[in-house]
Amino acid sequence: MGREFLDIFTDWSSDYDDFVEGKDPEYQAVFKGYTTILKEIVRRSGLNVLEFGIGTGNLTQELILAGKWVFPVEPSEEMRKLAKTKLPNEIVIYDGDMQQYPSPTRQLDTIVSSYVFHHLTDREKSLALKDYASQLEVGGKVIFADTMFESLAMNDQAIAQAKQKQFYALAEDLEREYYPLIPTVKELFEQAGFKVSFHQMNEYVWIVEGTKLS
């Protein structure tokens, strides 16, 4: 997770669950089907899961309820405090991001995140995926849900539409952060040694699933 965006998440922490529940009109489309998106990540996951950028712990909670072992990582102290109120007392939430994080205490079979991968530049995404591949055995998976675009033109169109609707916070978000293009993500996963697939969940969000080949 790009630490340059940490202050934004600090400011956002107390309102984050309202956003994902669709209470802010600007972000309703981004978080449409949020619960379904989380459950789909859980369905695709194995038993020993590293989760990046857990935020207030919504996905973590779903993973635990499904009987998964989770190694949760979150760089925002405020988010960690909120997540702790939702999760079992024995769960330790580790300070870290998608590039720098403590070593998991079990052999992983899955690495997941929701609405996080876009905080890395393309170069950082490439390095991170190679790091994740080194931690997984053959058949291990990386499963990310995030805003992605099929082309630069569609990215630009989304920004223009947000401005047209006077959703200026959303437009600023889409312009500021490193939202990936699907062809680029496909190439980066394949270069890191994954077989990759994509599944669109709403107007903005796709699930990308990479399975380690060798």
Side-chain angles (χ1 to χ4, degrees), residues 136-183:
L136 294 169
E137 297 179 343
V138 174
K141 292 183 177 182
V142 171
I143 305 166
F144 294 157
D146 205 355
T147 294
M148 303 181 197
F149 297 99
E150 293 180 273
S151 67
L152 184 58
M154 295 186 75
N155 188 352
D156 292 341
Q157 182 181 356
I159 294 169
Q161 287 177 344
K163 291 179 178 178
Q164 186 178 24
K165 294 177 181 178
Q166 298 184 357
F167 290 170
Y168 297 120
L170 175 59
E172 182 182 3
D173 185 356
L174 292 173
E175 289 180 313
R176 177 183 58 234
E177 302 184 20
Y178 312 120
Y179 291 98
L181 303 182
I182 286 175

Side-chain angles (χ1 to χ4, degrees), residues 21-165:
E21 291 170 8
K23 294 180 181 178
D24 187 304
E26 290 202 43
Y27 286 86
Q28 280 180 351
V30 177
F31 291 107
K32 183 178 180 180
Y34 178 72
T35 299
T36 301
I37 291 168
L38 299 191
K39 289 184 180 300
E40 183 63 17
I41 296 173
V42 173
R43 186 187 71 80
R44 294 166 180 250
S45 296
L47 292 176
N48 295 319
V49 183
L50 165 60
E51 182 191 354
F52 286 117
I54 73 163
T56 60
N58 296 321
L59 176 55
T60 321
Q61 192 173 40
E62 293 288 341
L63 289 162
I64 291 169
L65 288 172
K68 319 285 187 180
W69 176 85
V70 185
F71 188 88
V73 175
E74 168 57 49
S76 165
E77 182 179 0
E78 289 75 14
M79 289 285 196
R80 292 198 300 271
K81 288 178 180 177
L82 290 170
K84 194 65 180 170
T85 66
K86 297 180 182 179
L87 302 177
N89 290 333
E90 66 270 18
I91 299 297
V92 177
I93 305 171
Y94 296 91
D95 181 6
D97 55 53
M98 296 192 86
Q99 296 172 280
Q100 296 182 338
Y101 53 94
S103 296
T105 53
R106 292 191 187 182
Q107 173 61 50
L108 304 171
D109 55 34
T110 315
I111 298 173
V112 304
S113 71
S114 58
Y115 296 84
V116 179
F117 198 40
H118 66 271
H119 294 122
L120 301 182
T121 66
D122 286 349
R123 182 177 180 278
E124 289 169 340
K125 290 182 180 75
S126 175
L127 294 172
L129 288 171
K130 290 173 182 175
D131 170 46
Y132 307 156
S134 72
Q135 298 195 54
L136 294 169
E137 297 179 343
V138 174
K141 292 183 177 182
V142 171
I143 305 166
F144 294 157
D146 205 355
T147 294
M148 303 181 197
F149 297 99
E150 293 180 273
S151 67
L152 184 58
M154 295 186 75
N155 188 352
D156 292 341
Q157 182 181 356
I159 294 169
Q161 287 177 344
K163 291 179 178 178
Q164 186 178 24
K165 294 177 181 178

